[in-house]
Amino acid sequence: MAASDKNMLLNYVPVYVMLPLGIITVDNVFEDPDGLKKQLLQLRGAGVDGVMVDVWWGIIELKEPKQYDWNAYRSLFQLVQECGLKLQAIMSFHQCGGNVGDVVNIPIPQWVLDIGQSDPDIFYTNRSGSRNKEYLTLGVDNEPIFHGRTAIQIYSDYMKSFRENMSDFLESGLIIDIEVGLGPAGELRYPSYPQSQGWKFPGIGEFQCYDKYLKADFKAAAAKADHPEWDLPDDAGKYNDVPQSTGFFKSNGTYVTEKGKFFLTWYSNKLLIHGDQILEEANKAFLGCKVKLAIKVSGIHWWYNVANHAAELTAGYYNLYERDGYRPIARMLSRHPAILNFTCLEMRDSEQSSDAKSAPQELVQQVLSGGWRENIQVAGENALSRYDATAYNQIILNARPQGVNKSGPPKLRMFGVTYLRLSHDLLQQSNFDIFKKFVRKMHADQDYCADPQKYNHVITPLKQSASKIPIEVLLEAAKPIGPFPWRSETDMKVE
C-alpha cells in the first residue's frame, strides 16, 4: 500500500446500518432470513462495515423473570457473521412504539407491566399523573420490587445472560459494540416528549418526575438542602406549550431562581447517576470481552436557540448558555469507558422552521466537542431517514469537522456513524447509488477495510471501570467552553 493510502486510511470512519425495528418479531421469531441475507449482502457489497440491531428486553425476557430466549437473535447474529459484517448490539430496555419512526409495537415484558398494575409509580409520570410505560422510572433503579430484584439488577442479569449466550459471537469479534439502553428510545433522557401522550414538535415537553419514588427523592434532597418547603415544579406548562407561556421557562422565570436551579440540578444529576450505575453493571457483564460500551444521547435541537433551552431541560439535559449540560455526561462515560453516540447528524439549521428556534448544527458541535474534550470516543447517527446529498454531506462534515489529513490521522474524527435505517427505500437503485458514494467518502475514498487496526480502531479487552467520579467533579465539566472549529462544508462531498 502506498504511504498516501496508509495515511488516508487513518481518516476512515466506519459506517454501520441500523436494521429494521421488527427484524425479530414480538413473538421472538426471525421471520425472513432469506430476504435479510440478500439485503445484508447488498450492504456488504457497498462497503458497509456492519449493522446495528435492537435486542429487545420485551422479547427476550417476555414470559417470566430470568427466563431468557435468545434463539432467534442467535440465528440473526449467525447470518450477519456469514455476510461478513460487524455487529453493534443495543440492550433495548425500552418499549418500541410511541416515538418518531416506531413502526412496530414491542412492549416491555408482561410480568413487569403486571407489577405496574398494582404499583403504577414504577413508570415515569408527569405532573397531571399520566404514566409512561416506555421505560421504568429511574426512581426504581434501586428498589427491590420486581420479584426481589431492583431495576438495575434486572438490566444487569439481562446483560450477563446476553454475554453467556452470545459468547461465541463476542469471541469471534462479530460483536464490536454494546450500546446500553438508558431510557425511552434507548436514550439517556426522560420521556419528556411522548407522541403517545399528544406531544407534537416543537412542544417544550414536560418534566417526568412525579412518580412517588422520585417525589420522595426530591423531598429528601430539598430537606437536606434546608428547603423542606420546596416542591416539584407546578408552573412548567404542558407538552405543546412554548417557553414564554410558562412561569418556569419565561424570561427571568423559575428556571433562573435558586429553587429552579436546585430542581434542575437534581433532575439532571439523577440521569447522570442512572447512566453511571447501569454502565458499571455493563462493564462487569462484559469485562474482558473485546467490545466497546456505548450510550445514546438524544439530539433535542428545538428551543436550543433561546436562553431557556426548555425542551432540553424537560428531557434532563441541564444545558444553558452559561452551563454545558452534555460534557458532564461525557466525563461520566470516561470512567467505563464508553462511547457517546449522538443523533441528528444530518440536520442543518437552514432546514428547520424558525418558530422552533432550532439549532441542530450548534448542538452537534457542542456535544461532540464536549466528548472529545473529555477524551472519549464519539459516534453518531441521523435522526430521520434521508437519501439526499445535502444530508450525507452534513454527516460527513460532522464525522471529520476539520476535514481529512493527507499525512496522518485527522485532528477530529468520529469513531463511527450508524445510518438510520435499512429499508426498501434505501435499497431503491437511485437512493442506493448515492448511499454507496456516501460510504466511500466516509471511508476517505479508500476501499472497505476489514482490519480496524489500519485505521486506529483497535478494540482491546474491556477493562474494569475506573473509580467513581464524585458528582461535584462531574459537574465541573458543566463550565462552558466553546466548541472546536468546524469547516463550513466537508472536503469529501458526495456530489
Side-chain angles (χ1 to χ4, degrees):
M1 185 187 279
S4 62
D5 288 345
K6 255 187 189 166
N7 286 336
M8 285 304 281
L9 249 185
L10 294 170
N11 295 268
Y12 185 108
V13 177
V15 176
Y16 308 91
V17 174
M18 205 175 289
L19 295 184
L21 287 164
I23 201 78
I24 303 295
T25 69
V26 71
D27 303 318
N28 207 354
V29 176
F30 181 18
E31 262 186 342
D32 185 16
D34 294 341
L36 182 66
K37 182 174 185 179
K38 193 175 161 208
Q39 293 181 328
L40 292 178
L41 290 171
Q42 282 179 272
L43 294 180
R44 186 68 286 286
V48 166
D49 298 88
V51 292
M52 181 183 263
V53 68
D54 286 281
V55 183
W56 296 104
W57 177 36
I59 291 177
I60 299 296
E61 197 179 358
L62 171 67
K63 300 205 167 75
E64 52 187 293
K66 296 195 183 180
Q67 297 297 307
Y68 309 101
D69 180 355
W70 300 101
N71 288 328
Y73 276 99
R74 282 196 55 80
S75 304
L76 170 63
F77 290 10
Q78 186 65 47
L79 179 62
V80 171
Q81 188 157 281
E82 284 166 14
C83 292
L85 293 157
K86 298 290 188 197
L87 187 72
Q88 300 175 311
I90 312 172
M91 303 291 102
S92 295
F93 297 117
H94 60 287
Q95 163 189 298
C96 181
N99 282 304
V100 178
D102 284 354
V103 291
V104 294
N105 193 47
I106 302 167
I108 62 175
Q110 187 58 47
W111 61 270
V112 179
L113 294 173
D114 291 344
I115 293 167
Q117 289 287 324
S118 56
D119 183 3
D121 287 279
I122 67 171
F123 302 117
Y124 281 119
T125 307
N126 68 6
R127 187 169 165 262
S128 63
S130 298
R131 313 287 186 179
N132 189 314
K133 295 179 182 174
E134 284 180 69
Y135 184 85
L136 295 172
T137 167
L138 57 77
V140 296
D141 276 356
N142 301 297
E143 300 284 341
I145 54 178
F146 301 95
H147 302 287
R149 290 191 294 168
T150 66
I152 299 244
Q153 286 167 334
I154 292 175
Y155 306 143
S156 174
D157 289 343
Y158 182 88
M159 291 187 282
K160 286 176 192 157
S161 178
F162 180 91
R163 177 180 177 163
E164 284 160 22
N165 286 274
M166 303 298 185
S167 58
D168 49 337
F169 297 122
L170 286 159
E171 281 158 23
S172 71
L174 169 73
I175 301 169
I176 50 161
D177 194 280
I178 302 287
E179 185 172 289
V180 184
L182 297 171
E187 297 166 337
L188 178 65
R189 64 173 175 87
Y190 294 92
S192 54
Y193 52 102
Q195 284 191 322
S196 57
Q197 293 183 20
W199 174 84
K200 291 186 177 66
F201 181 83
I204 58 174
E206 292 186 33
F207 293 118
Q208 303 286 326
C209 51
Y210 298 85
D211 61 81
K212 70 183 183 191
Y213 299 101
L214 284 177
K215 265 186 180 166
D217 191 289
F218 178 78
K219 285 309 280 183
K224 195 174 168 192
D226 292 329
H227 281 287
E229 76 282 5
W230 281 352
D231 276 319
L232 294 170
D234 60 2
D235 59 349
K238 294 272 198 279
Y239 287 122
N240 295 315
D241 284 345
V242 297
Q244 277 305 115
S245 70
T246 73
F248 195 91
F249 296 113
K250 69 181 184 185
S251 304
N252 295 317
T254 309
Y255 83 98
V256 295
T257 64
E258 187 193 359
K259 177 184 167 183
K261 288 175 179 173
F262 177 83
F263 164 72
L264 289 167
T265 303
W266 169 83
Y267 188 68
S268 54
N269 284 359
K270 293 303 291 181
L271 268 192
L272 279 173
I273 295 161
H274 171 72
D276 192 40
Q277 270 195 289
I278 298 174
L279 278 168
E280 186 155 349
E281 294 305 313
N283 177 280
K284 287 177 195 161
F286 296 103
L287 198 60
C289 297
K290 284 192 173 181
V291 290
K292 294 271 188 191
L293 297 178
I295 73 154
K296 194 184 293 185
V297 170
S298 181
I300 299 180
H301 51 87
W302 54 107
W303 304 113
Y304 183 89
N305 245 349
V306 291
N308 54 64
H309 287 246
E312 289 165 275
L313 265 48
T314 57
Y317 304 135
Y318 189 4
N319 190 51
L320 301 169
Y321 295 145
E322 68 282 1
R323 189 189 194 281
D324 190 327
Y326 300 97
R327 221 173 93 226
I329 298 173
R331 183 165 291 184
M332 176 271 285
L333 297 179
S334 68
R335 84 174 183 102
H336 296 293
I339 297 167
L340 193 161
N341 186 12
F342 196 62
T343 179
C344 76
L345 291 190
E346 84 285 11
M347 292 187 173
R348 291 155 60 106
D349 296 359
S350 57
E351 297 166 345
Q352 311 304 316
S353 63
S354 59
D355 60 350
K357 301 287 186 276
S358 187
Q361 287 171 258
E362 287 73 13
L363 175 60
V364 167
Q365 289 171 19
Q366 178 191 344
V367 176
L368 300 191
S369 295
W372 284 318
R373 286 218 160 87
E374 294 299 322
N375 297 310
I376 63 167
Q377 301 286 1
V378 296
E381 50 192 61
N382 48 310
L384 304 170
S385 292
R386 294 266 298 265
Y387 311 102
D388 58 290
T390 305
Y392 288 131
N393 289 336
Q394 189 63 29
I395 296 171
I396 298 163
L397 170 63
N398 287 323
R400 289 183 295 258
Q402 297 177 1
V404 296
N405 177 2
K406 291 182 175 160
S407 51
K411 186 170 175 218
L412 300 173
R413 174 179 64 152
M414 294 183 75
F415 197 72
V417 166
T418 303
Y419 176 81
L420 181 94
R421 141 181 348 261
L422 176 60
S423 65
H424 293 299
D425 285 345
L426 175 65
L427 298 174
Q428 187 262 328
Q429 194 62 54
S430 58
N431 286 345
F432 201 53
D433 286 345
I434 190 165
F435 177 75
K436 285 191 273 199
K437 289 182 194 165
F438 162 68
V439 173
R440 178 93 188 168
K441 295 299 179 185
M442 288 288 289
H443 290 169
D445 274 337
Q446 304 305 296
D447 291 338
Y448 163 77
C449 179
D451 179 5
Q453 290 199 19
K454 290 185 174 158
Y455 52 89
N456 271 1
H457 269 39
V458 186
I459 298 183
T460 52
L462 196 59
K463 293 191 178 78
Q464 192 173 345
S465 293
S467 55
K468 218 175 192 63
I469 303 171
I471 197 86
E472 304 75 43
V473 179
L474 291 179
L475 295 186
E476 284 167 12
K479 186 168 184 265
I481 305 174
F484 290 110
W486 245 246
R487 292 174 60 103
S488 58
E489 50 184 42
T490 179
D491 55 351
M492 278 267 161
K493 282 189 166 180
V494 168
E495 55 185 41

